[in-house]
């Protein structure tokens, strides 16, 4: 073959290659579906954390791309041979690390459909359904979380311009709100260049690290990003009095308090910052309040957890990630803002090649103006399908079931005198550790707990991660992987006890028959 004399590609390569051949599509998707079914059936028996070494994949796959086509069968073989052994199985029922990444058949179906339609819905016109479904489903969720109407796009008017948008991550939601808050603060204090170095943003020492990164990206001077210390006495929540002291000191020094990040359900230990009182403090200084409920926001679909969002009516923005705990696969972060114009100001663009009637009429939202990028996936489809397929009652049951499993796990930990639960359990995360034994210093206790964690994870039969709170090394047991049942929690606890026996050199006596 090769290029013909007049420089055109030979006709054969134009006609011979059909990347969206419908017969191939049916067959490949069916084969993929079989692969997935097989995976979910077996995932329970796989080591949750793989034991591969860095660079392992280069030894298993060719270093250069294939010139000729590879059969789909051969590719699925490679998945078995090279990819599965190096996967950390987030879908395993024995996965208790970090926070869960939940899944559901409705979300998978929705994601596949979104990929099939593949609209790049940057403006309303570029896909009206994608834009409108997004604002509808965000209003649905706002109802479910009982957010005040100021965050709903359906109640937006000339005076109030609330609404929601889907981002890929909390980090992006935080960055966009920081940029909005930054520009609002700069308008108040006159002039970009003069004032940007004076803006201050506040979180606590428990705020997610992505907040500090987003502040850097948004141009805040890292010296002006405060990490207000928390205490075990207040369960590691941000105390309004401490926040006020920090803001007042900065204001007195001629700085401009611009942004406060309150977290509902911190990543380390699910601490809850009191949103109402924090918003009150922030209001004294005219600062923006963002509520980061990445994980715990999902729990607030249940009335008994909604109290943790109390005060959100005073915040400027709130976000949570259904991809964490509401059965919607990655990526899916909901962000609501009280006034979308404060986002579209700094984030809006209006290039000639995207100009169109509806955008110019001002009667539609162009979602590219509420995010970092231009192109965007049709994410609302999977979220809408999850809510429709399961209904509110099942979503609530799903949360409650995880919380109940965590509650039982907590009971098991408390029943063993070698262990202690380190912070109160609020949702489905239990933070615990082996207690320091007679005369043991904290550093030794930390070492012992680190060793215990390594032993548990090396077994492959569960995966748990750790954190440090109040200078203590603690194990985090997060219930919520979609396939997890009570028996998995029970056997994880048996495993933990067995490894503790090994570590502490206890004679392992046979379990008595009762
Ligand atoms: C997980 C988490 C984040 C980070 O979320 P991304 O979507 O990965 O950016 C931020 N804040 C909290 C409280 C989290 O739990």
């Amino acid at each position: 073959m090769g290029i013909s004399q007049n420089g055109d590609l030979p006709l054969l390569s134009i006609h011979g290659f059909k990347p969206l051949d419908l017969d191939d599509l049916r067959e490949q998707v069916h084969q993929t579906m079989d692969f997935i079914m097989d995976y979910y059936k077996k995932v329970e028996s796989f080591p949750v954390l793989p034991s591969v070494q860095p660079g392992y994949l280069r030894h298993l796959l060719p270093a250069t791309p294939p010139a000729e086509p590879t059969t789909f069968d051969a590719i699925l073989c490679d998945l078995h041979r090279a990819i599965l052994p190096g996967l950390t199985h987030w879908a395993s029922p024995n996965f208790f690390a970090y926070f869960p990444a939940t899944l559901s058949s409705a979300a998978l179906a929705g994601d596949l459909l979104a990929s099939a339609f593949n609209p790049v819905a940057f403006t309303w016109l570029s896909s009206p359904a994608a834009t409108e479904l997004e604002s509808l489903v965000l209003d649905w969720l706002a109802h479910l979380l009982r957010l005040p109407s100021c965050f709903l796009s359906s109640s937006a008017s000339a005076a109030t311009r609330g609404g929601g948008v889907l981002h890929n991550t909390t980090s992006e939601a935080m960055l966009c709100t920081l940029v909005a808050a930054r520009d609002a603060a700069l308008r108040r204090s006159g002039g970009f260049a003069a004032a940007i170095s004076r803006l201050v943003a506040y979180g606590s020492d428990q705020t997610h690290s992505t907040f500090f990164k987003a502040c850097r990206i948004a141009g805040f001077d890292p010296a002006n990003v405060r990490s207000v210390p928390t205490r075990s006495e207040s369960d590691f929540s941000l105390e309004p009095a401490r926040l006020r002291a920090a803001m007042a000191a900065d204001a007195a020094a001629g700085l401009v308090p611009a942004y406060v990040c309150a977290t509902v359900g911190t990543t380390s230990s699910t601490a809850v910052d009191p949103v109402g009182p924090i918003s009150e403090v922030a209001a004294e200084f005219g600062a923006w309040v963002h509520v980061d409920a990445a994980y715990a926001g999902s729990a607030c679909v249940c009335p008994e957890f909604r109290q943790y969002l109390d005060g959100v009516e005073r915040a400027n923005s709130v976000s949570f990630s259904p991809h964490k705990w509401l059965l919607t696969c990655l990526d899916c972060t909901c962000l609501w803002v009280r006034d979308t114009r404060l986002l579209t100001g700094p984030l809006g663009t209006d290039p000639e090649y995207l100009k169109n009637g509806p955008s110019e009429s001002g009667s539609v939202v162009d979602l590219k103006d509420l995010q970092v990028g231009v192109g965007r996936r049709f994410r609302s489809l999977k979220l809408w399908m999850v809510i429709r397929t399961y209904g509110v009652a099942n979503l609530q049951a799903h949360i409650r079931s995880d919380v109940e499993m965590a509650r039982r796990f907590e009971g098991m930990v408390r029943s063993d005198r070698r262990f202690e639960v380190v912070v109160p359990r609020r949702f489905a995360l239990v933070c615990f550790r082996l207690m320091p034994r007679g005369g043991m210093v904290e550093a030794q206790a930390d070492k012992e707990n680190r060793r215990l964690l390594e032993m548990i994870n090396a077994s492959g039969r569960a995966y748990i991660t750790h954190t440090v709170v109040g200078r203590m090394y603690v194990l985090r047991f997060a219930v919520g992987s979609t396939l997890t049942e009570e028996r998995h929690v029970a056997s994880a606890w048996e495993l933990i006890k067995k490894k503790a026996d090994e570590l502490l050199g206890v004679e392992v006596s046979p379990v008595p028959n009762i």
Side-chain angles (χ1 to χ4, degrees):
M1 286 204 284
I3 309 286
S4 62
Q5 272 185 345
N6 63 5
D8 293 335
L9 287 168
L11 276 182
L12 190 67
S13 66
I14 295 173
H15 285 156
F17 172 50
K18 287 192 193 165
L20 200 55
D21 178 87
L22 296 192
D23 291 328
D24 287 350
L25 174 66
R26 178 183 290 109
E27 182 159 334
Q28 289 172 2
V29 170
H30 279 174
Q31 273 183 273
T32 302
M33 200 57 233
D34 288 342
F35 185 95
I36 293 172
M37 297 293 285
D38 195 46
Y39 174 72
Y40 285 145
K41 275 184 200 151
K42 289 187 186 148
V43 66
E44 169 166 9
S45 63
F46 297 155
V48 192
L49 195 61
S51 52
V52 295
Q53 295 303 311
Y56 90 98
L57 193 63
R58 289 268 166 174
H59 301 299
L60 299 179
L61 295 178
T64 53
E68 297 301 322
T70 311
T71 65
F72 204 67
D73 283 330
I75 296 169
L76 292 179
C77 276
D78 276 353
L79 280 184
H80 269 297
R81 184 178 64 86
I83 302 299
L84 288 192
L87 265 189
T88 298
H89 296 288
W90 285 71
S92 166
N94 301 315
F95 183 97
F96 303 102
Y98 314 107
F99 281 134
T102 51
L103 280 168
S104 61
S105 53
L108 288 172
D111 219 19
L112 182 59
L113 281 166
S115 292
F117 299 141
N118 207 26
V120 187
F122 33 69
T123 57
W124 178 87
L125 187 65
S126 71
S127 206
T131 300
E132 298 204 6
L133 189 66
E134 191 160 321
S135 72
L136 177 81
V137 77
L138 279 155
D139 277 5
W140 275 15
L141 267 175
H143 277 295
L144 251 176
L145 297 182
R146 293 175 182 73
L147 294 183
S149 61
C150 61
F151 291 116
L152 270 68
S153 57
S154 57
S155 51
S157 66
T160 62
R161 288 284 181 82
V165 59
L166 291 176
H167 283 173
N168 54 0
T169 60
T170 294
S171 307
E172 188 190 343
M174 248 184 225
L175 176 61
C176 292
T177 56
L178 266 164
V179 165
R182 177 195 72 193
D183 284 12
L186 290 174
R187 272 193 301 277
R188 285 201 309 275
S189 43
F192 195 89
I196 182 129
S197 63
R198 292 195 292 124
L199 302 190
V200 192
Y202 303 82
S204 81
D205 56 11
Q206 301 298 308
T207 303
H208 196 285
S209 58
T210 201
F211 162 70
F212 301 93
K213 174 168 159 177
C215 287
R216 286 203 300 275
I217 299 173
F220 283 72
D221 181 341
N224 290 344
V225 181
R226 307 274 175 260
S227 170
V228 179
T230 60
R231 302 179 298 160
S232 64
E233 292 86 336
S234 54
D235 296 338
F236 303 102
S237 67
L238 173 57
E239 291 170 77
R242 289 187 164 197
L243 175 66
R244 178 181 286 111
M247 295 180 94
D250 287 331
L255 299 176
V256 181
Y259 187 95
V260 178
C261 179
T263 308
V264 172
T266 59
T267 312
S268 263
S269 66
T270 63
V272 174
D273 297 341
V275 174
I278 284 174
S279 303
E280 240 166 80
V281 172
E284 292 170 27
F285 299 90
W288 182 293
V289 175
H290 178 69
V291 178
D292 170 12
Y295 161 72
S298 294
C300 298
V301 303
C302 300
E304 67 271 30
F305 292 108
R306 171 57 176 78
Q307 51 168 315
Y308 295 120
L309 282 178
D310 283 358
V312 69
E313 63 281 0
R314 314 187 61 150
N316 298 79
S317 53
V318 53
S319 61
F320 92 106
S321 296
H323 66 229
K324 276 193 172 155
W325 202 10
L326 212 59
L327 303 177
T328 310
C329 46
L330 275 170
D331 38 34
C332 189
T333 294
C334 301
L335 167 68
W336 291 273
V337 289
R338 176 186 293 281
D339 188 345
T340 53
R341 286 168 302 187
L342 297 177
L343 260 73
T344 55
L347 301 174
T349 55
D350 187 25
E352 187 56 40
Y353 41 82
L354 296 185
K355 279 195 197 301
N356 66 81
S359 292
E360 273 158 42
S361 77
S363 58
V364 299
V365 189
D366 291 334
L367 292 173
K368 70 175 173 53
D369 297 338
L370 294 168
Q371 66 174 25
V372 172
V374 179
R376 56 201 327 280
R377 283 174 59 74
F378 192 175
R379 291 194 194 91
S380 57
L381 196 51
K382 62 186 172 190
L383 191 49
W384 180 70
M385 285 176 66
V386 163
I387 301 172
R388 284 205 66 184
T389 306
Y390 305 119
V392 175
N394 275 315
L395 295 179
Q396 292 173 336
H398 147 73
I399 296 289
R400 286 174 182 144
S401 151
D402 287 348
V403 171
E404 177 58 21
M405 284 193 277
R407 198 186 63 78
R408 291 183 192 182
F409 179 83
E410 181 190 21
M412 297 174 205
V413 174
R414 287 190 192 281
S415 72
D416 187 324
R417 275 195 248 144
R418 295 171 300 174
F419 289 91
E420 65 176 343
V421 172
V422 176
V423 291
R425 181 198 51 77
R426 289 208 170 78
F427 305 100
L429 173 74
V430 181
C431 293
F432 69 106
R433 67 166 184 166
L434 276 171
M435 250 187 298
R437 285 164 295 123
M440 195 184 242
V441 297
E442 283 292 329
Q444 278 173 295
D446 289 355
K447 213 169 142 194
E448 203 169 78
N449 278 286
R450 189 175 299 132
R451 182 72 198 119
L452 176 63
L453 183 73
E454 283 165 7
M455 289 166 70
I456 294 163
N457 291 339
S459 77
R461 289 170 47 210
Y463 182 29
I464 299 171
T465 49
H466 79 281
T467 188
V468 172
V469 279
R471 289 198 287 276
M472 248 185 272
Y473 185 97
V474 300
L475 311 190
R476 293 170 76 267
F477 190 87
V479 179
S481 188
T482 313
L483 296 173
T484 300
E485 297 170 15
E486 242 191 302
R487 64 190 169 92
H488 301 106
V489 174
S491 48
W493 173 241
E494 289 306 316
L495 173 71
I496 293 166
K497 278 196 302 187
K498 188 166 146 255
K499 294 297 168 189
D501 289 345
E502 282 172 32
L503 180 69
L504 305 178
V506 173
E507 278 289 301
V508 184
S509 51
V511 182
N513 283 324
I514 308 171

